[in-house]
Amino acid sequence: MIEITDLNKKFNTQSVLKDLSLTIAGGEFCILVGANGAGKTTLLRILAALVRPDSGEVLLEKEPLFADPSLRRKIGYLGHQSLFYGDLSAWENLRHYARLYNLSNSEEIIRKCITQSGLTPHQHKPLRTYSRGMQQRLALERALMHSPSLLLLDEPHSGLDQDAANGLDERLRQLHLKGCTLLVAAHRPQRLLQSATHAAWLREGQITDKVTLDQLSDIPGLDSYIREVK
Amino acid sequence: MPNKPLLLRVLDILSIILIPAALVLILFFTPEEATMGAVQKVFYFHVASAWAGMLSFVVAAGAGIGYLTTRDFKWDWLSLSAVEVGVVFGLVAIASGMIWAKPIWNVWWVWDPRLTTTAIMELLYLTYFILRSGLNTMETRARLAAVYAIISVITVPLTFLSIRLFRTIHPVVIAPTGSADFNMSPRMLVAFFASLVVFTILLADLIWNRYRLAALQAKINQGGN
Amino acid sequence: MTGFRRYLQTVWAIFRKDVQVEWRGRQGVPVMLVFSLLVVFLFNFALQLSPQLQSGLASGLLWVTLAFAATLGLNRSAALERENDALNGLMLAPVDRSAIFFGKTLSNLASTLLVAFILMPTISLFFGQNLLKPALFLVVILGTGAYTCLGTILSALSIQSRTRDVLLPVLLYPLALPILIAASEASRGILSGQTLGELQNWLYLLLACGILFTATGLLLFETILEE
């Protein structure tokens, strides 16, 4: 699905990603773990083609990601921000994204997204009246509305209450079962251990280890890191 | 830091020798212009510094293209150096023009299109530094400064085109034979082209020295040796 | 569907979104309008205009006011894309990112033209010179077209700066100089009774600016947006 080779990205001559290589096969559900500032967000933004790396290659299904804009259709991205317009309602925001992705039967898809996020009673209110958690739920549906085959999620649980977070875990599990490839950056990855298949450890700008979750105990540092980070 | 390259030393020495030489040429070799008198001699350095200013902005834009295609900071240093030096030459051109204008037009400044646009273009390149100072990372700074230098160089000829459509009171020197505002004698032409060459050498020398300074600064910021 | 149609649909989607945001929030055009009316009245005060002077200044006043008002609209339009990182949402769209340039330029052009079309009769009313001439509309469309092209490019530059709120005018005005010279000269010519044929040099210059800045946006917008 994705092959990353020798990826480099510097900000102010400080390397954030340094010769990073990582391969994620189709259908994997991979947790990206790492301390704050390890470069998780930068990596995900590069994979979403929002940030251009200084050097290195990113292949999405064997094609160079930055060469062809239409490849971005295969990617769903959820970042720290909702990417919504505060003056528009949930419905209008989603319709805007449906147009950007050029979706046919968009009405139906939008209705499904709004139902799924549980915001039907609020769908025509301007987005700035929504709470952080409501926006986050809607933002996840936005990332999924064009049925991407690769899903990049950056701290998807942030701002969600316990129920919504559990709902999100279930949603991700289902997506994984449907064959979607997931790469999820999580500062506290414990809750994903039940549904994920792999874990990748990002340290000092490199993926130092990538293992299936069964083999987690083979890498003592990673194992204790994942279980102890609170 | 490596020692100064030999060619740069040569340029340094050439600049130091040639500027006074050009001055001697202008003051003692050229005849006095019939109507304007001695003050006309400002013209040689005036045009030469305007030329050097323009040339350096073209260099800045070229370096901008260089940066955007290679993403090598060396091009950014060159672009910054060229704009900085260019702004100084632009100021020299404006100041020397004002010195000429006072006895000829009887005022330091007139709101002639040519003068006004030149002044605004000077501001345009001062804005380049304002733009740079507000950008956070070196990469963004270099990238957007390059874009700005390129757009500026697209605009400058358009501005010149626009003032060609006006009637200007600024003398037109470079024009088809017969239509220029005053005709230069052969001696004047020699001094004129000599000034252009000398200022071009000075420009190259200054940009190169400024570039070395930028390279040194970058080295310090990286904490290297 | 062909790639080009998809591209145009993205441009159109961005334009519609901007119109919708403006319709909901009404934070762009009304501000531009009130601002430009204020400029018109303040000019009259500050310059102590006598009636003869007034009519001669109408074209200059129109362009200075439009240039100022458009800056407000451009800033607002760029700020909109900063909120919640919405610009990243546009960048996710699976088409070449110059589509964002065209979409934003189109909506900026629409709001500036709207202001211009209200400003023209207003100036006519208060300054005793009829600005409602077909030839002048042509000049206004060409001039604001080139101006908003350049303005959209530069607003994408300025929002990345810490000084974003004040930077745009400083970047824009000197670079817009050929546009403003040509537009106000052509307008002055039209108001003093010259035909379009006599003013064709200015019109060609406006057209050249428009084409060059469109090409610049097409080629450089992706580079400006990337991080």
Side-chain angles (χ1 to χ4, degrees):
Chain A
M1 187 81 200
I2 334 172
E3 288 163 64
I4 307 165
T5 357
D6 293 334
L7 203 61
N8 278 289
K9 182 69 191 175
K10 285 180 178 179
F11 290 112
N12 274 331
T13 70
Q14 196 171 11
S15 283
V16 179
L17 303 179
K18 211 153 115 195
D19 296 326
L20 181 147
S21 297
L22 172 67
T23 304
I24 294 177
E28 274 184 26
F29 183 160
C30 185
I31 319 173
L32 184 63
V33 291
N36 287 331
K40 299 190 297 280
T41 296
T42 304
L43 176 59
L44 288 178
R45 286 173 62 81
I46 288 176
L47 294 180
L50 290 173
V51 172
R52 193 174 281 266
D54 299 334
S55 64
E57 196 177 39
V58 181
L59 296 180
L60 180 66
E61 293 181 338
K62 308 253 184 267
E63 287 183 76
L65 174 65
F66 289 93
D68 180 5
S70 64
L71 283 176
R72 295 201 282 264
R73 170 173 278 279
K74 296 179 181 165
I75 300 168
Y77 168 77
L78 174 65
H80 293 275
Q81 302 279 336
S82 70
L83 315 188
F84 287 135
Y85 297 92
D87 283 329
L88 301 183
S89 68
W91 181 274
E92 289 161 336
N93 267 300
L94 289 182
R95 195 172 50 190
H96 165 59
Y97 278 97
R99 283 182 187 138
L100 286 186
Y101 284 109
N102 215 328
L103 303 180
S104 47
N105 66 334
S106 60
E107 294 257 322
E108 197 184 316
I109 294 175
I110 296 166
R111 194 168 302 124
K112 230 159 85 186
C113 285
I114 289 177
T115 317
Q116 187 69 251
S117 59
L119 294 169
T120 316
H122 309 280
Q123 59 177 321
H124 295 302
K125 289 182 192 160
L127 213 91
R128 63 171 85 261
T129 63
Y130 288 29
S131 71
R132 171 88 177 85
M134 287 156 87
Q135 292 202 19
Q136 182 76 359
R137 261 142 63 199
L138 196 65
L140 175 74
E141 296 309 321
R142 186 224 73 228
L144 291 169
M145 73 185 300
H146 57 290
S147 336
S149 48
L150 171 66
L151 197 54
L152 306 167
L153 307 177
D154 197 354
E155 307 285 352
H157 295 91
S158 69
L160 297 184
D161 59 26
Q162 199 56 45
D163 283 352
N166 291 338
L168 172 66
D169 292 342
E170 178 56 25
R171 193 82 209 285
L172 296 184
R173 210 175 59 81
Q174 282 169 9
L175 284 165
H176 171 55
L177 291 177
K178 275 190 219 160
C180 192
T181 309
L182 291 100
L183 180 60
V184 182
H187 183 52
R188 290 176 224 169
Q190 301 95 320
R191 60 180 316 131
L192 292 170
L193 288 177
Q194 267 114 52
S195 38
T197 59
H198 291 72
W201 198 1
L202 181 56
R203 270 188 300 179
E204 286 162 19
Q206 286 187 314
I207 299 288
T208 51
D209 302 280
K210 190 196 168 207
V211 289
T212 63
L213 288 187
D214 320 334
Q215 299 168 319
L216 208 54
S217 49
D218 295 353
I219 301 170
L222 180 59
D223 190 38
S224 55
Y225 184 86
I226 289 184
R227 290 181 201 286
E228 278 164 29
V229 172
K230 282 273 151 64
Chain B
M1 190 69 189
N3 290 325
K4 265 194 180 187
L6 183 64
L7 182 59
L8 184 55
R9 282 169 193 275
V10 173
L11 278 178
D12 285 348
I13 294 163
L14 268 183
S15 306
I16 292 168
I17 297 171
L18 287 180
I19 289 287
L23 209 54
V24 168
L25 200 64
I26 290 162
L27 292 179
F28 303 110
F29 177 71
T30 59
E32 258 184 35
E33 210 265 342
T35 48
M36 288 186 253
V39 74
Q40 181 269 337
K41 292 184 187 242
V42 168
F43 152 85
Y44 301 99
F45 276 16
H46 171 68
V47 176
S49 51
W51 151 257
M54 288 296 150
L55 188 62
S56 64
F57 295 144
V58 174
V59 170
I65 294 172
Y67 177 75
L68 292 183
T69 46
T70 63
R71 303 291 162 139
D72 186 338
F73 282 110
K74 284 177 180 156
W75 290 109
D76 182 51
W77 303 336
L78 178 59
S79 196
L80 171 65
S81 310
V83 174
E84 230 175 79
V85 175
V87 163
V88 175
F89 275 108
L91 281 177
V92 170
I94 290 176
S96 57
M98 290 170 93
I99 292 168
W100 176 84
K102 183 60 184 162
I104 301 296
W105 292 336
N106 214 18
V107 280
W108 293 106
W109 184 263
V110 288
W111 289 103
D112 174 75
R114 179 95 175 244
L115 273 68
T116 311
T117 50
T118 307
I120 292 178
M121 273 183 306
E122 191 71 9
L123 291 175
L124 186 159
Y125 280 101
L126 285 175
T127 307
Y128 176 90
F129 303 113
I130 298 176
L131 172 69
R132 288 185 78 98
S133 68
L135 298 168
N136 283 331
T137 67
M138 279 171 60
E139 291 80 7
T140 314
R141 202 177 304 139
R143 179 166 50 87
L144 296 188
V147 168
Y148 185 76
I150 294 168
I151 300 178
S152 302
V153 128
I154 297 172
T155 310
V156 170
L158 285 173
T159 305
F160 268 94
L161 198 65
S162 76
I163 56 175
R164 283 274 155 153
L165 301 176
F166 277 110
R167 246 171 279 143
T168 171
I169 62 171
H170 186 282
V172 176
V173 185
I174 311 295
T177 2
S179 64
D181 282 324
F182 67 94
N183 292 309
M184 284 187 274
S185 71
R187 284 186 163 208
M188 283 176 164
L189 275 172
V190 169
F192 175 67
F193 285 111
S195 304
L196 288 185
V197 171
V198 169
F199 269 68
T200 310
I201 291 170
L202 179 65
L203 174 73
D205 183 59
L206 289 176
I207 291 180
W208 196 344
N209 276 304
R210 177 64 185 83
Y211 170 86
R212 273 171 52 89
L213 184 65
L216 280 168
Q217 263 171 341
K219 205 159 225 182
I220 290 169
N221 289 342
Q222 278 175 21
N225 40 6
Chain C
M1 190 175 338
T2 62
F4 186 62
R5 256 195 76 187
R6 181 166 296 167
Y7 183 89
L8 288 184
Q9 282 191 337
T10 307
V11 172
W12 187 235
I14 293 167
F15 172 73
R16 285 175 73 168
K17 180 268 300 170
D18 274 356
V19 171
Q20 201 163 30
V21 171
E22 180 57 34
W23 186 249
R24 288 270 174 277
R26 295 196 183 88
Q27 289 175 331
V29 174
V31 178
M32 291 163 79
L33 259 180
V34 173
F35 174 81
S36 50
L37 294 180
L38 280 171
V39 170
V40 168
F41 288 116
L42 284 178
F43 253 92
N44 192 53
F45 251 117
L47 300 179
Q48 290 289 325
L49 298 179
S50 64
Q52 303 97 303
L53 264 177
Q54 278 181 358
S55 60
L57 281 174
S59 71
L61 184 63
L62 174 69
W63 283 104
V64 169
T65 311
L66 269 183
F68 287 170
T71 323
L72 290 184
L74 288 162
N75 252 339
R76 157 77 192 147
S77 165
L80 185 71
E81 305 298 343
R82 272 190 70 83
E83 191 189 10
N84 298 333
D85 266 352
L87 181 63
N88 276 333
L90 301 182
M91 288 169 71
L92 290 173
V95 295
D96 191 90
R97 279 161 187 162
S98 55
I100 304 173
F101 164 68
F102 286 112
K104 294 300 286 182
T105 303
L106 218 55
S107 63
N108 287 327
L109 177 61
S111 55
T112 313
L113 273 184
L114 188 63
V115 172
F117 291 159
I118 296 174
L119 201 57
M120 286 163 75
T122 310
I123 294 179
S124 307
L125 192 65
F126 286 99
F127 286 81
Q129 185 169 29
N130 184 16
L131 266 65
L132 303 175
K133 297 180 176 171
L136 192 59
F137 280 102
L138 175 72
V139 173
V140 166
I141 290 170
L142 281 178
T144 48
Y147 191 78
T148 45
C149 256
L150 178 63
T152 305
I153 299 173
L154 294 175
S155 69
L157 244 77
S158 70
I159 50 165
Q160 298 183 44
S161 165
R162 282 188 309 257
T163 51
R164 66 185 77 91
D165 303 320
V166 290
L167 186 58
L168 179 65
V170 185
L171 291 179
L172 179 55
Y173 298 154
L175 287 173
L177 193 61
I179 302 171
L180 293 175
I181 290 176
S184 53
E185 281 307 306
S187 308
R188 202 192 317 280
I190 288 166
L191 292 181
S192 63
Q194 282 176 282
T195 63
L196 283 179
E198 290 170 277
L199 297 164
Q200 58 173 334
N201 281 338
W202 296 118
L203 297 178
Y204 286 146
L205 186 62
L206 278 182
L207 209 57
C209 290
I211 292 168
L212 273 172
F213 292 133
T214 306
T216 309
L218 186 67
L219 292 175
L220 290 181
F221 211 66
E222 165 116 39
T223 308
I224 296 171
L225 294 184
E226 86 183 31
E227 236 174 82

